[in-house]
Amino acid sequence: MDIRNIAIIAHVDHGKTTLVDKILHATKVFRENQDTGELIMDNNDLERERGITIFSKNAAVEYKGVKINVIDTPGHADFGGEVERVLKMADGVCLLVDAFEGPMPQTRFVLQKALALGLKPIVIINKVDKPNCRPDEVHDAVFELFFNLDATEEQLDFPTFYGSGKNGWFNDSLTQSEDITPLLDGIIKHVPQPKVSEGPLQMQITSLDYSSFLGRIAIGKVARGTVKENQPIALMQDGGVIKKQRVRELYVFEGMGKKKVSEVVAGDLCAVVGLEGFNIGDTIADADNPEALEVISVDEPTMNMQFSINNSPFFGRDGKFVTSRHLRDRLMKETEKNLALRVYDTDSADSFMVYGRGILHLGVLIETMRREGYELTIGQPQVITKEIDGKKHEPFETLVVDVPQEYASKVIDLVTRRKGEMLVMETKGEMQHLEFEIPSRGLLGLRTNMLTNTAGEAVMNHRFSEYKPWKGPIPGRNNGVLIAKDNGTTTGYSLDKLQDRGYFFVDPGEEVYRGQVIGENNKPGDIVVNSNEGKKLTNHRASGSDAATNIAPKREMTLEECMEYIQQDECIEVTPVNIRMRKVILDENERVKQQKRMSAEAV
């Protein structure tokens, strides 16, 4: 059968998943009257809540007798590890670019990987129905990006399609077509058939799936030969390990699901059931003539965090999995499918160092574990430094900010204070487009500050660029925090009297414990406050003294905001029900002793 394997790549929010929806509808995967909703491929709860793709997924459609395997990829830089491995399954890529924003940092990152693998690109300029869109300028910018990334002559001669995914049309010119069939015709015409070399079976595992009925499922593209049901195979792993195993069942992709088959020929994507102990990057090879494919290389992590068991006074109230064994098993299981993640043991049996691509990458892991019933404590995120030529180096990122012109000076001030350097400043319609180079440390807590200072108008994106010499200290949070003095329940009376000290992360009637961070101080320095004191009642009433309390609502903090907010001596308690910030040392006297010890050591 005629086959085309395409990956859809783009910056976050440029419309990849919407395009996949339209392809599924155009090729009649669903019944006419079937209610499918939007963003069909984003079927994970977290993806639907956040409106972003986190895990790459496969679908297969048939158009004019050709089977098109479509791979939907994440657009966020923190999930680049997902994209790097699934591109191995594709023979061509559809690069989706917003007709107003043009190529963005993640566009460059993913495109670089695709071009290096020699994939044939098709450029799709989406959202041409938006006001202020500039498709011709964006096309020139895309060509320049291809040129800068050392694309070959053949790759530079890319076909371009224009359209609007939301309105369901794409055409090879700016004139509106009836539907997206011109794009599907273009995919069949321009994307080559899978390259198939002669020889015995070779298939690299590039993705994992799990079924409670079938167990772990290996997914990849058959690069050579044929894989059959009940066939004995050699599983080739890193370090020259070869395991003899047998394929139990085989599935190919069909529509949104999978179809059981007896054999799969080279060039098609398939799911293999029955293998044990495999990892992403392993090769399924012929049992008699095993030959391994090159192992998938994934960029290094840039950030680490300490994951520990929950040791707060409220330990074990909300979660099912609370021991260090539970935590370790879950983290190790995650490393099997999350290639950009690393987990290391520490001196303490209760703590683990987890390395990832960024705040969002680690935040999604913590949020997933929390929903599964885990309780844990996480420390402040730290960037990973390296020693190069005897000098300390740290990761730097390219930061891109689009902001209304009246706020541009505030953005520049915020970024330069955090050791960022401006590289580009240009006007795009009514927006100012700014590009900076900034240490990864400088990004911690920057998003919240920037949204506050730009009335929520700033659009900020960043991606890792390279390691550069250490830039020196970066100012962190200026204000101190309000810390609960005792265990108990907060009262409206106490919070009302403390309002002039700062604002709170708790409401009246919430249970708190000694050492918990319950608010932000208006000034530098931490204050321990009594938030649990009730009003002493007498049998006398005085006019005016019983005025109703008027307390400002608490400030809700998301997990990522808490991760950016905490300092070195603080941590976050995460349970299925609550997210609380607290001091690492809960007792105030112990904290004072610790500070004195550290000051003495520093001297």
Side-chain angles (χ1 to χ4, degrees):
M1 188 177 181
D2 227 355
I3 296 172
R4 301 287 186 276
N5 299 319
I6 57 159
I8 297 180
I9 59 174
H11 186 79
V12 66
D13 260 356
H14 280 197
K16 294 178 298 303
T17 309
T18 304
L19 172 62
V20 177
D21 286 2
K22 299 302 175 195
I23 291 175
L24 291 170
H25 284 296
T27 50
K28 303 284 190 290
V29 169
F30 306 107
R31 296 191 315 274
E32 290 291 331
N33 61 348
Q34 191 171 343
D35 180 24
T36 56
E38 292 183 332
L39 306 177
I40 306 157
M41 296 288 269
D42 284 352
N43 50 16
N44 177 289
D45 288 345
L46 262 179
E47 292 179 317
R48 288 199 168 278
E49 282 169 30
R50 291 166 183 256
I52 57 172
T53 303
I54 296 171
F55 308 105
S56 63
K57 299 173 205 70
N58 301 55
V61 298
E62 200 171 311
Y63 177 71
K64 292 188 175 175
V66 179
K67 181 181 181 182
I68 304 174
N69 284 310
V70 183
I71 306 161
D72 184 19
T73 64
H76 208 286
D78 281 26
F79 308 112
E82 284 276 317
V83 183
E84 287 170 42
R85 58 186 173 82
V86 296
L87 284 178
K88 284 261 187 166
M89 295 197 279
D91 300 294
V93 290
C94 289
L95 176 70
L96 211 64
V97 186
D98 187 300
F100 171 68
E101 291 182 348
M104 296 291 276
Q106 181 66 4
T107 318
R108 182 189 183 92
F109 168 78
V110 192
L111 182 62
Q112 194 169 10
K113 302 283 177 195
L115 294 178
L117 287 168
L119 303 181
K120 171 74 180 166
I122 292 176
V123 173
I124 304 171
I125 296 177
N126 192 18
K127 306 188 185 181
V128 295
D129 54 329
K130 275 173 78 171
N132 295 331
C133 72
R134 33 191 206 104
D136 294 332
E137 282 176 53
V138 168
H139 181 270
D140 295 343
V142 171
F143 184 84
E144 199 173 315
L145 177 62
F146 270 77
F147 186 76
N148 292 338
L149 294 175
D150 299 326
T152 62
E153 288 286 328
E154 193 186 355
Q155 287 171 332
L156 278 171
D157 186 22
F158 55 80
T160 306
F161 290 84
Y162 302 87
S164 162
K166 197 173 180 183
N167 296 329
W169 68 272
F170 284 102
N171 204 350
D172 51 9
S173 67
L174 277 165
T175 52
Q176 185 167 342
S177 62
E178 286 180 19
D179 50 26
I180 68 162
T181 46
L183 173 61
L184 294 171
D185 291 330
I187 288 170
I188 292 173
K189 181 181 173 187
H190 298 290
V191 175
Q193 286 205 39
K195 292 191 193 82
V196 177
S197 46
E198 292 296 315
L201 168 66
Q202 267 188 332
M203 169 183 159
Q204 188 159 42
I205 300 170
T206 47
S207 198
L208 292 183
D209 202 355
Y210 181 79
S211 149
S212 51
F213 179 60
L214 297 169
R216 290 172 77 222
I217 301 169
I219 296 171
K221 180 168 96 173
V222 183
R224 196 169 83 178
T226 308
V227 59
K228 296 179 179 151
E229 215 172 12
N230 289 321
Q231 178 182 349
I233 55 104
L235 184 69
M236 308 189 70
Q237 300 189 302
D238 209 10
V241 179
I242 299 178
K243 295 178 182 173
K244 298 289 186 190
Q245 301 208 17
R246 187 177 290 274
V247 174
R248 200 165 77 228
E249 290 179 8
L250 271 178
Y251 293 84
V252 292
F253 294 96
E254 185 176 69
M256 293 287 298
K258 300 185 185 81
K259 179 177 79 170
K260 192 175 178 193
V261 290
S262 56
E263 69 169 38
V264 180
V265 294
D268 205 352
L269 311 186
C270 72
V272 180
V273 175
L275 306 184
E276 290 174 12
F278 63 83
N279 297 309
I280 288 173
D282 293 354
T283 304
I284 295 172
D286 187 74
D288 302 325
N289 303 309
E291 287 179 49
L293 286 159
E294 194 182 338
V295 178
I296 300 169
S297 63
V298 172
D299 288 354
E300 291 292 306
T302 57
M303 197 165 277
N304 64 15
M305 286 176 82
Q306 188 163 3
F307 282 46
S308 320
I309 60 166
N310 182 12
N311 57 3
S312 84
F314 295 167
F315 152 82
R317 284 192 183 186
D318 305 332
K320 285 189 293 187
F321 308 111
V322 294
T323 65
S324 57
R325 183 179 61 81
H326 284 139
L327 185 59
R328 187 178 196 283
D329 290 351
R330 177 65 182 82
L331 290 172
M332 291 306 173
K333 187 179 161 195
E334 186 68 24
T335 56
E336 290 178 0
K337 63 175 189 288
N338 198 331
L339 282 196
L341 199 78
R342 310 262 192 285
V343 177
Y344 298 103
D345 291 321
T346 62
D347 300 339
S348 162
D350 295 338
S351 299
F352 308 93
M353 287 306 289
V354 179
Y355 290 68
R357 279 279 180 89
I359 291 273
L360 190 61
H361 184 210
L362 293 166
V364 164
L365 167 63
I366 297 160
E367 185 64 46
T368 308
M369 288 173 67
R370 170 180 176 223
R371 290 175 184 216
E372 290 170 3
Y374 286 82
E375 279 193 21
L376 61 153
T377 303
I378 50 175
Q380 186 192 24
Q382 306 283 343
V383 299
I384 299 167
T385 57
K386 285 184 179 177
E387 195 84 17
I388 303 174
D389 300 331
K391 286 186 178 175
K392 188 178 179 182
H393 282 59
E394 65 176 325
F396 272 68
E397 310 226 1
T398 303
L399 170 68
V400 176
V401 184
D402 287 307
V403 69
Q405 292 185 358
E406 65 262 33
Y407 297 118
S409 57
K410 287 186 178 178
V411 171
I412 295 166
D413 179 49
L414 272 175
V415 177
T416 46
R417 264 197 246 157
R418 290 164 176 259
K419 301 281 195 282
E421 287 179 23
M422 189 158 70
L423 307 174
V424 176
M425 182 177 186
E426 58 188 28
T427 306
K428 279 187 183 178
E430 297 161 11
M431 305 288 272
Q432 200 74 29
H433 176 79
L434 308 167
E435 287 185 27
F436 303 90
E437 188 175 64
I438 183 171
S440 295
R441 288 179 299 143
L443 291 170
L444 295 177
L446 178 63
R447 186 182 296 274
T448 314
N449 269 344
M450 193 175 284
L451 290 174
T452 307
N453 281 289
T454 61
E457 294 269 5
V459 178
M460 172 180 151
N461 293 289
H462 55 89
R463 78 170 181 94
F464 170 72
S465 58
E466 59 181 326
Y467 273 83
K468 287 190 163 188
W470 182 262
K471 271 268 192 171
I474 290 176
R477 188 180 75 207
N478 292 327
N479 294 2
V481 289
L482 305 175
I483 305 164
K485 184 179 179 184
D486 291 308
N487 299 359
T489 305
T490 57
T491 62
Y493 175 76
S494 281
L495 296 187
D496 187 38
K497 301 296 182 215
L498 292 167
Q499 279 194 104
D500 56 347
R501 292 288 190 184
Y503 56 80
F504 289 95
F505 305 139
V506 292
D507 277 332
E510 279 191 36
E511 263 198 284
V512 296
Y513 53 80
R514 180 173 63 171
Q516 184 180 332
V517 172
I518 58 168
E520 181 173 306
N521 188 3
N522 286 333
K523 298 173 184 171
D526 298 344
I527 310 177
V528 177
V529 296
N530 185 354
S531 58
N532 310 341
E533 193 177 359
K535 184 174 181 187
K536 301 289 181 282
L537 300 175
T538 68
N539 58 356
H540 296 286
R541 283 192 60 189
S543 65
S545 64
D546 283 343
T549 54
N550 187 13
I551 303 169
K554 70 174 181 181
R555 179 174 159 196
E556 294 278 359
M557 299 272 275
T558 65
L559 178 61
E560 274 91 24
E561 283 171 344
C562 290
M563 286 159 74
E564 292 185 342
Y565 185 82
I566 59 171
Q567 299 293 301
Q568 190 96 35
D569 64 335
E570 294 160 2
C571 57
I572 308 168
E573 175 195 355
V574 179
T575 76
V577 181
N578 296 295
I579 295 172
R580 303 182 185 96
M581 291 182 282
R582 48 163 278 202
K583 289 290 179 184
V584 174
I585 301 169
L586 296 176
D587 186 271
E588 187 187 357
N589 297 326
E590 288 295 324
R591 283 201 300 274
V592 173
K593 284 180 191 170
Q594 174 79 358
Q595 278 175 336
K596 284 180 179 170
R597 269 200 301 274
M598 287 171 73
S599 303
E601 284 170 13
V603 171

